[in-house]
Amino acid sequence: MKTISRKHILPFVLVTLCFALWGFANDITNPMVKAFSKIFRMSVTDGALVQLAFYGGYFCMALPAALFIRKFSYKAGLLMGLGLYAVGAFLFFPAQIIGSYYPFLLAYFVLTCGLSFLETSANPYILSMGDAETATRRLNLAQAFNPIGSLVGMFVAMNFIQSRLNPMDTAARAQLGNAEFEAMKSADLAVLSRPYVFIGIVLLVMFLLFVFLLPQKEKHLNLEDAGMQTENTSFKETLRRLWNNKRYRYGVVAQFFYVGVQIMCWTFIIQYGTQIFMAEGMGEQAAEILAQKFNIVAMLVFCISRFICTFLMKYIRPHKLLSVLGMIGIILLGIVIFVGGRTGMGCLVGVSACMSLMFPTIYGISLQGIGEDAKLGAAGLVMAILGGSILPPLQAMVIDGNGLGDISSVNLSFFLPMLCFAVVVIYANFVPRFCRK
């Protein structure tokens, strides 16, 4: 059975571009926690507000996005998402002029309101482009292009932001007078803002492509073949059905904790690596850039693993693969915490291989067989991205602490993603029971 039929190729390719676009946004943003902390002379906890604003936008807009899509179409949702994404990117320019931290948080929030529209539209749209039996595999294939965008985001962050910021370390910046600090801050914010303004221009071009090339109607979708009901039901009835579906309800919980794992590991690999490489005698900026290179390797591992896992799903049931990789992730994080050093860094890179299939697999399992309710159900799974907003600041608080004995506070902080992996494993092991009900 084909994963993608010939008549679905054009919409599949166009919508898959969106997966790369939000991957870019996610992974140009993760290193900005450290960058903003340095530029504004803030704690790691204050810098992690970037993630709160970023993933808070996902949470706040997911339900309005679902209602919008339910009333209009997947195409309308995608266009709205591209538009808001572009507006948020362009807001970096006035934020730079103002020179304050909070306008940047507003820009991130608006940007991710757009990403919320994109994810709420694109994921169920891909699921509906063919047979139900291949839906999870099809979504994994589309999601495989997400880390390609992420790699581009990391590359831009490393080469066009981190390497071009003033190399003065955090301790030295704290000793600067107000005039010197403001001049340095202004120059660094200009460096940070340029890539976002450029991506705003790219998004406008993408918007026009979608207007003219994406089909106006969604009649090309195999709604019945994909197990999707086409009758309209009330909002209240849809919510009741979703709440009563244990596979879906607990899938939202599992997604919340999985996204937390992803964002924590990809955000604080910078702090983890910087600690290791500075202990080896490197300067702060050189250590940060080397840590970001490891982060790029992690994303390459993630990308390759996504394609491998998509292939393995032909032979291994998705929930079983999800469980095995979750348990391996727990073991690797144990080494990250208790062994540390370059061995721990290698294991933290390896965690990305374990994460590669999780988001689309949890998503596909949760929405399996729920029909037209998927348009609203998608909102709950996108709102679960709130895990990427709430959990990283908690990890940052641990990092800002004093550690425990011989375990540094940075190492200790990775207990939190370990616990989150455990939630995913529990969900994966109970999925067969939910499926029978």
Side-chain angles (χ1 to χ4, degrees):
M1 186 176 294
K2 288 185 177 180
T3 303
I4 309 164
S5 64
R6 182 175 297 179
K7 65 182 177 180
H8 296 136
I9 289 176
L10 177 61
F12 181 85
V13 170
L14 289 172
V15 176
T16 297
L17 290 173
C18 294
F19 288 78
L21 284 172
W22 73 65
F24 177 89
N26 287 333
D27 286 279
I28 194 177
T29 300
N30 290 335
M32 296 306 101
V33 171
K34 180 68 173 176
F36 276 114
S37 296
K38 180 187 288 186
I39 292 170
F40 288 102
R41 300 190 296 196
M42 300 183 300
S43 68
V44 176
T45 302
D46 289 334
L49 290 176
V50 168
Q51 300 291 34
L52 183 63
F54 192 92
Y55 292 97
Y58 270 111
F59 177 80
C60 292
M61 195 52 64
L63 185 57
L67 296 175
F68 180 88
I69 295 160
R70 200 167 185 244
K71 183 175 181 180
F72 297 102
S73 66
Y74 287 125
K75 178 176 179 177
L78 291 168
L79 290 174
M80 179 66 78
L82 290 170
L84 288 171
Y85 188 170
V87 169
F90 286 129
L91 282 175
F92 273 74
F93 181 71
Q96 171 202 329
I97 300 300
I98 295 169
S100 175
Y101 183 44
Y102 294 103
F104 284 99
L105 298 183
L106 175 62
Y108 276 119
F109 182 82
V110 173
L111 186 153
T112 51
C113 285
L115 298 186
S116 187
F117 265 92
L118 289 181
E119 293 216 34
T120 304
S121 305
N123 285 296
Y125 198 7
I126 291 291
L127 287 173
S128 66
M129 290 181 186
D131 298 302
E133 290 82 357
T134 59
T136 299
R137 196 188 318 159
R138 185 164 52 252
L139 183 57
N140 268 275
L141 178 59
Q143 284 273 4
F145 291 87
N146 173 267
I148 294 174
S150 296
L151 284 168
V152 176
M154 289 178 172
F155 178 83
V156 170
M158 182 176 69
N159 291 283
F160 294 94
I161 299 178
Q162 289 172 293
S163 65
R164 298 188 183 188
L165 295 176
N166 191 295
M168 184 177 291
D169 63 28
T170 304
R173 286 173 185 248
Q175 305 302 316
L176 293 176
N178 287 336
E180 292 175 299
F181 169 68
E182 289 298 327
M184 184 181 294
K185 181 182 76 173
S186 179
D188 283 345
L189 291 178
V191 168
L192 187 147
S193 299
R194 286 189 202 111
Y196 285 93
V197 175
F198 178 78
I199 192 62
I201 296 170
V202 172
L203 289 164
L204 292 181
V205 174
M206 290 292 300
F207 184 93
L208 294 174
L209 286 175
F210 273 57
V211 167
F212 294 109
L213 296 181
L214 199 65
Q216 294 294 328
K217 302 291 184 181
E218 290 163 7
K219 292 181 180 178
H220 64 285
L221 298 177
N222 290 334
L223 296 177
E224 293 182 2
D225 289 345
M228 298 184 71
Q229 305 158 1
T230 55
E231 68 270 13
N232 290 320
T233 55
S234 72
F235 177 73
K236 184 176 180 180
E237 289 174 351
T238 302
L239 286 181
R240 179 181 55 78
R241 284 196 299 271
L242 290 172
W243 177 255
N244 289 334
N245 186 319
K246 290 183 179 181
R247 184 175 61 245
Y248 172 79
R249 188 169 77 224
Y250 294 120
V252 172
V253 175
Q255 199 74 290
F256 174 93
F257 285 100
Y258 162 67
V259 175
V261 171
Q262 178 181 299
I263 303 309
M264 285 186 287
C265 289
W266 288 348
T267 297
F268 296 113
I269 190 173
I270 306 297
Q271 276 76 11
Y272 190 83
T274 299
Q275 170 190 257
I276 293 167
F277 304 135
M278 286 182 69
E280 295 176 355
M282 289 187 186
E284 184 177 19
Q285 186 178 45
E288 287 175 15
I289 292 173
L290 182 55
Q292 178 65 351
K293 289 180 179 178
F294 272 87
N295 203 11
I296 290 175
V297 173
M299 185 53 64
L300 282 169
V301 169
F302 182 90
C303 185
I304 294 168
S305 179
R306 174 69 61 80
F307 284 103
I308 292 172
C309 288
T310 301
F311 172 77
L312 289 176
M313 281 184 182
K314 291 182 179 181
Y315 310 102
I316 304 173
R317 297 189 68 177
H319 72 271
K320 290 184 178 179
L321 200 54
L322 183 66
S323 176
V324 170
L325 291 181
M327 288 187 283
I328 294 172
I330 291 172
I331 294 169
L332 291 176
L333 284 172
I335 298 172
V336 168
I337 296 165
F338 295 107
V339 177
R342 294 217 175 202
T343 300
M345 191 67 173
C347 289
L348 189 51
V349 169
V351 168
S352 288
C354 301
M355 296 191 297
S356 63
L357 93 162
M358 290 190 175
F359 185 92
T361 301
I362 295 171
Y363 200 105
I365 290 171
S366 300
L367 294 184
Q368 184 179 338
I370 71 172
E372 185 71 7
D373 292 349
K375 285 187 175 179
L376 190 58
L381 290 161
V382 173
M383 290 172 76
I385 292 174
L386 185 67
S389 175
I390 292 175
L391 296 172
L394 295 179
Q395 187 175 6
M397 290 178 187
V398 178
I399 292 173
D400 283 334
N402 297 317
L404 183 65
D406 294 332
I407 305 175
S408 75
S409 59
V410 177
N411 289 38
L412 187 63
S413 72
F414 283 93
F415 267 115
L416 195 54
M418 180 187 283
L419 292 174
C420 294
F421 262 140
V423 174
V424 173
V425 170
I426 291 169
Y427 176 71
N429 286 321
F430 280 91
V431 162
R433 183 182 300 176
F434 297 155
C435 289
R436 289 197 297 268
K437 293 185 178 181

